[in-house]
Amino acid sequence: MSAVANTIFSPEMAARFDKLATIYPVKRSALVPMLLYAQDEVGYVSDAVVAEIAQRLDLLELDVRNVLSYYSMLRTKPAGKYNVQVCTNISCMLRGGYEILDHCKKQLGIGHKGVTPDGVFSLEEVECIGACCWAPAMQINYDFHDNLTPAKVDNLLQIYRDGKGKDVK
Amino acid sequence: MPDVNFIVDGKQLTAPAGTLLIDACKSAGIEIPAFCYYPGLSLQAACRMCVVRVEKMPKLQTACTTPVTEGMVVQTETPEIAQARKATLQLLLGNHPLDCPVCDAGGECELQDMTFKYGAADSFYAEPKNHREEQKWSPVVYFDRPRCILCYRCVRMCGEGMDVFALGIQNRGSSSIIAPNVPAQMSPDQLAHVDCEQCGMCIDACPVGALTSGTYRYKTRPWEMNHVATICTHCGDGCKTTLGVRSTSDGSEIVRGDNRDKSGINGDFLCNKGRYAFDFANHGERITQPLVRHADGTLKPVSWEVALEHAGSRLRELRDSRGGSSIGVIGGNRLTNEEAYLLQKFARTVIGTNNIDHHRTADYVTFAQALSGTKGRTASQHDTASFPAVLLVGGDPTNQNPLTAWNLRSDVRLNKARVYVANTETIKLRRQAKAFLQLAPYGYGAFANYLAGDAAAASSAAADANALSAFRDAVKAEEKLLILIGSELRGAELKKLIEFGLTIPGAKFALLSDYVNSRGAADMGLLPDMLPGYVPFGAKHPLASEYAAPAAPGLDMLGIFDAAAEGELSALYVVGANPIARYAVDPAALKDTFVVVQEMFLTETAALADVILPAANLYEKSGSVTNSYGDLQQVAKAADRAGVRSDFEMIVRIADKMGAEVPKLVPFGKGLRADMGQSRGAHSGEADRHAVWLTANNLEPRLSPFDPFAILDEIQRLVPGYSLLRLQLLSGNDQHLEPAAPSGLVQITGQSARRDLVLPAHDSLFTSGTLGRYSAMLNDLQQNEAQRAAASSAHTAAD
Amino acid sequence: MPTLVSHPDEVKVISRRFGQGAADIDKYVELDGYKAVQKAIAEGPEKMSGWIIDTMKASGLRGRGGAGFPTGLKWSFVPKQSEKPKYVLVNGDESEPGTCKDHVIFLEDPHAVIEGTMIAGLAIGAKTGFIYLRGEYRYLLKIMEKAVADAYAKGFLGKNIFGSGLDFDVITQSGAGAYEVGEESALMESLEGKRGVPRIKPPFPAVVGLYGGPTVINNAETIASAPHILLMGGEAYAKIGSERNGGTRLFGISGHVERPGVYELPMGYNLKKAIYEVAGGVKDGKKLKAVVPGGSSCPVLTADEIDVGLDFDQMGKAGTMLGSGGIVVLDETVSIVEFALRTINFYQHESCGWCIPCREGTDWIKKTLTRVHAGGGANKDIDNVQYLAENMLGRTFCPLGDAAAMPTLGFVKKFRKEFEEYIAGKRVDTPLITVQDLVGAH
Ligand SMILES: Cc1cc2nc3c(=O)[nH]c(=O)nc-3n(C[C@H](O)[C@H](O)[C@H](O)COP(=O)(O)O)c2cc1C
Ligand code: SF4
Ligand code: FES
């Protein structure tokens, strides 16, 4: 039974949030992870998500928006089912990060922060994701893919298109 | 905190340990520039303008976060520091629009001043500045993003200062932005808005022109205005407001109200009414010509001479034919002390009646009587910002006494004060309260009794018995307690509470009321059963003996209208009040009464008048007013309007037309006799007491019968408690006056007979009695509120 | 998935258990797991704290997060008595470009992080430890969460750990994308559910930290080193390293090398050797142009400046920093202007925006370099960039401003010619696609 009547989240997520709000010395500590997990389920941080999380943590919606807008992984608009995040930071750049990004743009027909018409993919150019020694690297729904080549990328995108892709949400 | 010694720019300085370097320097006359630092608000160290060189420190240090320590050696203006500040300014100006010539803040802009000082005008960026359209966050708050330098003052002012939290910081890095609490997508018009108290404090705090005021923006340039510091006409807190005045074809109009010189009793603070609600003066319906009702029943403009002659002679007739006791006089809460005093003196000595009253917004008579004989027991507004503990019974300062609320919040924030709130409503100040006690409906009396030790009263005081007793014990444990009382408590209840409070040796009291001079009206004796200073009739007091006032109490507000209904009221003289609307009087009651009204607008009361005399408002006259706390302040004439007269002048003129001996009413010129009291024999003792007093206080006699100071002299001479200091008053400072009712003079008998005529105004942040109806800005704000409310309810309904 | 590498010159201390499935708690225990914490407890309630701190001091371990502050000393700053609870906070925000070492620790040896957290807790008298991982490390967070759950299941965490009569809890936390949150005080803000804006210091975390309580904040690698140090003894650990730089550290060698990867080398190991021997030399036999030795914040070294030992002091002498140990290697083909631009883009994007010099400085350097790189530069641009960077240095609220200014200064000073070529129109690249504002919508 969720702490919030008519929650917008799945029973599992609601239960998880109920717990999350209790494990810290201060409730508010749950805010950042909650926003991220909510985004994983809803697809983005909608106004409804902001409202419910504010309610759960006894915060003003303004507080939630202030925090939400600070973190670059959080978005207020829907992304694709599979969010492709290509790192172009220095180590990746040196090993072809931009070629990989351009290749993704070409293959998906979208640019930075774009979403394919069928809503299956979205693309993002991101900062260093901590895979520098295995560059160039990217993440699709949190799953790391490294030592990339255009061929490897094509193959990956196909796997996800076929719904066989890994999702570590 | 012990004092420490340190050296700044070679000067030996001393300050309590822990004082922030920036403050220590300021009090030593060394100005350290800062954008983000704002005294009393949390520290940011964000703007990096206050960097100084502290010996033994590798980097430049921020003076706004560095506490002074023993032996510290500091440089505040070296080339290195100047360069650091210059670079910071250059960085800011990189994106800051250079629209200073049209910017409201131009000439009052801290960024402008700093740029001038550090010569950072040269911007060496080739890239275009990021432009954003100006946003209208509310009728009174506008935001110009590119001008914002992100000092976060507004955010802290709104959150920490006002406890509203309507502003936030969003995004990060160079896209950081100040954001209001209603985002565009959540708003019906798809534009971002603030849902707040519209106090405008954010605008005052803004060091640049990023936040501007809806009433002032693009109206004029600061240096084209005269700035007059006077007292806000709205609530009983009596804030100083600095009015920017510009001359116009028919006088001079107020274009801005703010609190730039923070010298007033209100320090940094000003609420939306003090800031914006001066515009009633320019309302289209303002009466600017005397009107007289003609035989055909219509009101027609006439000359001042005709109007005054008509009013005066008719009043005289009626007095002589039907007696002064057939005439009623009603005064207002926005009159100056001088006018209120003059009005009651006029009623008592010229008309010869005690049928005199005003719209009472708190029971000051009981307050004064309950405290009579005590010394140092009444609180000044200043105490609300400094007392270690405060008990607030009734009232809703957030909405009705905003400065009091601000001070209490600051007291909690800065002095860790303990605030105890007991109220029948869940007022907002409970958020700062150490303890909030929800009282039962009408539970104030029972609560007072309970505090005074009547255990039986518990059940009718509050539902939660444990909370109640815990609350009482906490309050009783306090040694230095400020007891703030709302106007809900009157008569016996009020007396009881004060009696309880008096058992706490360090307790001080204040009774909150509405309107700038509600307290003054009562102090000045606009009452049927009390002379000024709550001196009862027949008391051995110069007032009683000097006035040839009728001995018996007169009719009160309701009595006057009852008499009218019975056809026994021959005339009614109303000065700056709207009793018809206030007390829902049936207009028919006045059909046989000759009514003279001094007003700005055709109010419900004025509409019934036979003579309407166009009156000046508080911003158009000078004198003094007394706030809820008994703090006396000077009112300075700011604006001017052709065709209107001050109530003071009109009263004198009417008295004159009634054939009264004006020098007796207003002691001016030579007074009544040349005799200074030294003469022996027949006339001795009959000396002109006023003249004697003037010489004794080496004051000059006033030369004009229209000079309010002539009456102020008499007030000071005669009214108990009004022993004021001229210098204080004239230099625009506030001074606290003890309430009067000197012990021995209080008549206990008949006390219970007094009926409760207190009618709180229940004004919100966006209303101000009848006057508020004529403020376009307050109307806008009410509409704005309504829309917000509608929108948010619609929103909640949606999800 | 990270590919593990190895080289004979490596001295495997922290990486000892890598590649052996130590994420499994039984395997970890089999490999001397949770022995260090028990060894500490065996010292007895009185001596335990002192013994741990002395051992850490003796080990000469210096913070692996970048600043290189002596860890034992840091732990000793925490007041013994405190009204407010004390905390241990493990910094796993690993976001410094060129750095991916903590990544491998979380993946290969999560229990070492937990055990290290417990040890730090015992040292300072904390009952709760937080392990904060950057949001992008979701799969590593899951590994950590499982490890923590297993430790509770075995009774290693929770009430009365190892019969010490002491309780200790570990809470894992996810970030959501912010480099600045790696700064210790911003990290605490983030953990408290706020914007990742640093706090005013003093007070320092050791005195007033998380929820106002005394807090020790350490990098994940620093924490993971603690168990090994307690087991092998401080002196033994110190001996492996160089003077005043005890032990080993994980170096992530990336960019233009034949065998990029995370190698554990003794402190003081020669940088040139690390590149040419350990990492197999410059990729495709190209010539070396430059090296960014410790993550993107460190001033660049030219090809002939790399004969230097990899420790905090020698790097400092060489005019750069050891930083996070992320060695980024640039071959002759690299355009320094483009590299400098990409670097400043990162800092411009990650600046929290709190203070003026960093917020505006990174933005204007980015704008100017973008133009220069696209061929629209003017001569004064180089001086402007240098002027901006110099005026950010040491003037910002937190070190991110420095982290942006220092490399920028390195590039324009050591490779000024290249910038001039761009301005002279001798070189024009297609505009570099830059990370646009990923933050919010406005
Ligand atoms: C902008 C900035 C980012 C940082 N990012 C990290 C980080 O991702 N991980 C980390 O361990 N330390 C990071 N640090 C260093 C931390 O502030 C802190 O010094 C460190 O975590 C202390 O741990 P240590 O003593 O074990 O190195 C960062 C510092 C700054 C100024
Ligand atoms: S230097 Fe200033 S703006 Fe930059 S990250 Fe630190 S606090 Fe934020
Ligand atoms: S630079 Fe791409 S993962 Fe670090």
Side-chain angles (χ1 to χ4, degrees), chain C residues 112-154:
Chain C
V113 180
I114 297 172
E115 189 175 2
T117 309
M118 298 169 80
I119 290 167
L122 295 177
I124 65 163
K127 294 192 162 358
T128 313
F130 293 91
I131 301 175
Y132 184 112
L133 273 65
R134 61 179 302 183
E136 293 84 351
Y137 283 177
R138 175 64 60 84
Y139 89 104
L140 298 172
L141 180 68
K142 294 193 160 184
I143 292 171
M144 283 308 307
E145 282 169 345
K146 176 169 188 312
V148 169
D150 294 346
Y152 271 105
K154 283 241 190 296

Coordinates of all heavy atoms in Angstrom, one line a residue, chain C residues 112-154:
Chain C
A112 N 35.5 -4.8 -1.3 CA 36.6 -4.0 -0.8 C 36.2 -2.6 -0.4 O 36.6 -2.0 0.6 CB 37.7 -4.0 -1.8
V113 N 35.2 -2.1 -1.2 CA 34.7 -0.7 -0.9 C 33.9 -0.8 0.3 O 34.1 0.1 1.2 CB 33.9 -0.2 -2.1 CG1 33.3 1.2 -1.8 CG2 34.7 -0.2 -3.4
I114 N 33.1 -1.8 0.5 CA 32.3 -1.9 1.7 C 33.2 -2.1 2.9 O 33.1 -1.3 3.9 CB 31.3 -3.1 1.6 CG1 30.3 -2.9 0.4 CG2 30.6 -3.3 2.9 CD1 29.5 -4.1 0.1
E115 N 34.2 -3.0 2.8 CA 35.0 -3.2 4.0 C 35.8 -1.9 4.3 O 36.0 -1.6 5.5 CB 36.0 -4.4 3.7 CG 36.8 -4.8 4.9 CD 37.7 -6.0 4.7 OE1 37.7 -6.6 3.6 OE2 38.3 -6.5 5.7
G116 N 36.3 -1.2 3.3 CA 37.0 0.0 3.5 C 36.1 1.0 4.2 O 36.6 1.7 5.1
T117 N 34.9 1.1 3.8 CA 33.9 2.0 4.4 C 33.8 1.7 5.9 O 33.8 2.5 6.8 CB 32.6 1.9 3.7 OG1 32.8 2.0 2.3 CG2 31.6 3.0 4.2
M118 N 33.7 0.4 6.2 CA 33.5 -0.1 7.6 C 34.8 0.4 8.4 O 34.7 0.9 9.5 CB 33.4 -1.6 7.7 CG 32.1 -2.1 7.0 SD 32.1 -3.9 6.9 CE 31.6 -4.3 8.5
I119 N 35.9 0.2 7.8 CA 37.2 0.5 8.5 C 37.2 2.0 8.8 O 37.5 2.4 9.9 CB 38.4 0.1 7.6 CG1 38.5 -1.4 7.6 CG2 39.7 0.7 8.2 CD1 39.4 -2.0 6.6
A120 N 36.9 2.8 7.8 CA 36.9 4.3 8.0 C 35.9 4.6 9.1 O 36.2 5.4 10.0 CB 36.5 5.0 6.7
G121 N 34.7 3.9 9.1 CA 33.7 4.1 10.1 C 34.3 3.8 11.5 O 34.1 4.6 12.5
L122 N 34.9 2.6 11.6 CA 35.5 2.3 12.9 C 36.6 3.3 13.4 O 36.7 3.6 14.5 CB 36.1 0.9 12.8 CG 35.2 -0.3 12.6 CD1 36.0 -1.6 12.4 CD2 34.1 -0.4 13.7
A123 N 37.3 3.8 12.4 CA 38.4 4.8 12.7 C 37.8 6.0 13.3 O 38.3 6.6 14.3 CB 39.2 5.1 11.5
I124 N 36.7 6.5 12.8 CA 36.2 7.8 13.2 C 35.0 7.7 14.2 O 34.5 8.7 14.7 CB 35.8 8.7 12.0 CG1 34.6 8.1 11.3 CG2 37.0 8.9 11.1 CD1 33.9 9.1 10.4
G125 N 34.5 6.5 14.3 CA 33.4 6.3 15.2 C 32.0 6.6 14.6 O 31.2 7.2 15.2
A126 N 31.9 6.3 13.3 CA 30.7 6.5 12.6 C 29.9 5.2 12.5 O 30.5 4.1 12.6 CB 30.9 6.9 11.1
K127 N 28.6 5.3 12.5 CA 27.7 4.1 12.4 C 27.1 3.9 11.1 O 26.4 2.9 10.8 CB 26.6 4.2 13.5 CG 27.2 4.1 14.9 CD 26.1 3.9 15.9 CE 26.6 3.5 17.3 NZ 28.1 3.3 17.3
T128 N 27.3 4.9 10.2 CA 26.6 4.8 8.9 C 27.6 5.3 7.8 O 28.4 6.2 8.0 CB 25.4 5.7 8.8 OG1 24.6 5.5 9.9 CG2 24.6 5.4 7.5
G129 N 27.6 4.5 6.7 CA 28.5 4.9 5.6 C 27.6 5.0 4.3 O 26.7 4.2 4.1
F130 N 27.9 6.0 3.5 CA 27.2 6.1 2.2 C 28.2 5.9 1.1 O 29.3 6.3 1.2 CB 26.6 7.5 2.1 CG 25.5 7.9 3.1 CD1 25.8 8.4 4.3 CD2 24.2 7.6 2.8 CE1 24.8 8.7 5.2 CE2 23.2 7.8 3.7 CZ 23.5 8.4 4.9
I131 N 27.7 5.1 0.1 CA 28.5 4.9 -1.1 C 27.8 5.5 -2.2 O 26.7 5.1 -2.6 CB 28.8 3.4 -1.3 CG1 29.5 2.8 -0.1 CG2 29.6 3.2 -2.6 CD1 29.7 1.3 -0.2
Y132 N 28.3 6.7 -2.8 CA 27.6 7.4 -3.8 C 28.2 7.2 -5.1 O 29.4 7.4 -5.3 CB 27.7 8.9 -3.4 CG 27.0 9.9 -4.4 CD1 25.9 10.6 -3.9 CD2 27.4 10.1 -5.7 CE1 25.2 11.5 -4.7 CE2 26.7 11.0 -6.5 CZ 25.7 11.7 -6.0 OH 25.0 12.6 -6.8
L133 N 27.4 6.6 -6.1 CA 27.9 6.3 -7.4 C 27.3 7.3 -8.4 O 26.1 7.6 -8.3 CB 27.6 4.9 -7.8 CG 28.6 3.8 -7.5 CD1 28.7 3.7 -6.0 CD2 28.2 2.5 -8.1
R134 N 28.0 7.7 -9.4 CA 27.4 8.6 -10.4 C 26.3 7.9 -11.1 O 26.3 6.7 -11.2 CB 28.5 9.0 -11.4 CG 29.1 7.8 -12.2 CD 30.1 8.3 -13.2 NE 29.5 9.2 -14.2 CZ 30.2 9.7 -15.2 NH1 31.4 9.4 -15.4 NH2 29.6 10.5 -16.0
G135 N 25.3 8.6 -11.5 CA 24.1 8.0 -12.1 C 24.3 7.1 -13.2 O 23.6 6.1 -13.4
E136 N 25.3 7.5 -14.0 CA 25.6 6.7 -15.2 C 26.1 5.2 -14.8 O 25.9 4.3 -15.6 CB 26.7 7.3 -16.0 CG 26.3 8.7 -16.7 CD 26.4 9.8 -15.7 OE1 26.7 9.6 -14.5 OE2 26.3 11.0 -16.2
Y137 N 26.6 5.0 -13.6 CA 27.1 3.7 -13.2 C 25.9 2.9 -12.6 O 26.1 2.2 -11.6 CB 28.1 3.9 -12.1 CG 29.5 4.3 -12.6 CD1 30.6 4.5 -11.8 CD2 29.7 4.4 -14.0 CE1 31.8 4.9 -12.2 CE2 31.0 4.8 -14.5 CZ 32.0 5.1 -13.6 OH 33.3 5.4 -14.0
R138 N 24.8 2.8 -13.3 CA 23.7 2.1 -12.8 C 24.0 0.6 -12.6 O 23.7 0.0 -11.6 CB 22.4 2.2 -13.8 CG 21.3 1.3 -13.3 CD 20.7 1.8 -12.0 NE 20.2 3.1 -12.0 CZ 19.0 3.5 -12.4 NH1 18.2 2.6 -12.9 NH2 18.7 4.7 -12.4
Y139 N 24.7 0.0 -13.6 CA 25.0 -1.4 -13.5 C 25.9 -1.7 -12.3 O 25.9 -2.7 -11.7 CB 25.4 -2.1 -14.8 CG 26.9 -2.0 -15.1 CD1 27.7 -3.2 -15.0 CD2 27.5 -0.9 -15.5 CE1 29.0 -3.2 -15.3 CE2 28.9 -0.9 -15.8 CZ 29.6 -2.0 -15.7 OH 31.0 -2.0 -16.0
L140 N 26.8 -0.7 -12.1 CA 27.7 -0.9 -11.0 C 27.0 -0.7 -9.6 O 27.3 -1.3 -8.6 CB 28.9 0.1 -11.1 CG 29.7 -0.1 -12.4 CD1 30.7 1.1 -12.5 CD2 30.5 -1.4 -12.3
L141 N 26.0 0.2 -9.7 CA 25.2 0.4 -8.5 C 24.5 -0.9 -8.1 O 24.5 -1.2 -6.9 CB 24.2 1.5 -8.7 CG 23.3 1.9 -7.5 CD1 24.1 2.5 -6.4 CD2 22.1 2.8 -7.9
K142 N 24.0 -1.6 -9.1 CA 23.3 -2.8 -8.8 C 24.3 -3.8 -8.2 O 24.0 -4.5 -7.2 CB 22.7 -3.4 -10.1 CG 21.6 -2.5 -10.6 CD 20.7 -3.1 -11.6 CE 19.4 -2.4 -11.7 NZ 18.5 -3.0 -12.7
I143 N 25.5 -3.8 -8.7 CA 26.5 -4.7 -8.2 C 26.8 -4.4 -6.7 O 26.8 -5.2 -5.8 CB 27.8 -4.7 -9.0 CG1 27.6 -5.3 -10.4 CG2 29.0 -5.4 -8.3 CD1 28.7 -5.1 -11.4
M144 N 26.9 -3.1 -6.5 CA 27.2 -2.6 -5.1 C 26.0 -2.9 -4.2 O 26.2 -3.4 -3.1 CB 27.4 -1.1 -5.0 CG 28.8 -0.6 -5.5 SD 30.2 -1.5 -4.7 CE 29.8 -1.2 -3.0
E145 N 24.8 -2.7 -4.7 CA 23.6 -3.0 -3.9 C 23.6 -4.5 -3.5 O 23.3 -4.8 -2.4 CB 22.3 -2.6 -4.7 CG 22.0 -1.1 -4.7 CD 20.9 -0.8 -5.7 OE1 20.6 -1.6 -6.5 OE2 20.4 0.4 -5.6
K146 N 23.9 -5.3 -4.5 CA 23.9 -6.8 -4.2 C 24.9 -7.1 -3.1 O 24.7 -7.8 -2.1 CB 24.1 -7.6 -5.4 CG 24.2 -9.1 -5.2 CD 24.2 -10.0 -6.4 CE 24.1 -11.4 -6.0 NZ 25.1 -11.9 -5.0
A147 N 26.1 -6.5 -3.3 CA 27.2 -6.8 -2.4 C 26.8 -6.4 -1.0 O 27.0 -7.1 0.0 CB 28.5 -6.0 -2.8
V148 N 26.2 -5.2 -0.9 CA 25.7 -4.7 0.4 C 24.7 -5.7 1.0 O 24.8 -6.1 2.2 CB 25.1 -3.3 0.3 CG1 24.4 -2.9 1.6 CG2 26.2 -2.3 0.0
A149 N 23.7 -6.1 0.2 CA 22.7 -7.0 0.7 C 23.3 -8.3 1.2 O 23.0 -8.8 2.2 CB 21.7 -7.3 -0.5
D150 N 24.3 -8.8 0.4 CA 25.0 -10.1 0.8 C 25.7 -9.9 2.1 O 25.6 -10.7 3.0 CB 26.0 -10.5 -0.3 CG 25.3 -10.9 -1.6 OD1 24.1 -11.1 -1.5 OD2 26.0 -11.0 -2.6
A151 N 26.3 -8.7 2.3 CA 27.1 -8.5 3.5 C 26.1 -8.4 4.7 O 26.4 -9.0 5.8 CB 27.8 -7.1 3.4
Y152 N 24.9 -7.8 4.5 CA 23.9 -7.9 5.6 C 23.5 -9.3 5.9 O 23.4 -9.7 7.0 CB 22.7 -7.0 5.2 CG 22.8 -5.6 5.6 CD1 23.1 -4.6 4.6 CD2 22.6 -5.2 6.9 CE1 23.2 -3.2 5.0 CE2 22.7 -3.8 7.3 CZ 23.0 -2.9 6.3 OH 23.1 -1.5 6.6
A153 N 23.3 -10.0 4.8 CA 22.8 -11.4 4.9 C 23.7 -12.2 5.8 O 23.4 -13.0 6.6 CB 22.6 -12.0 3.6
K154 N 25.0 -11.9 5.6 CA 26.0 -12.7 6.3 C 26.2 -12.1 7.7 O 27.0 -12.6 8.5 CB 27.4 -12.7 5.5 CG 27.4 -13.6 4.4 CD 28.6 -14.6 4.5 CE 28.8 -15.4 3.3 NZ 27.7 -16.3 2.9

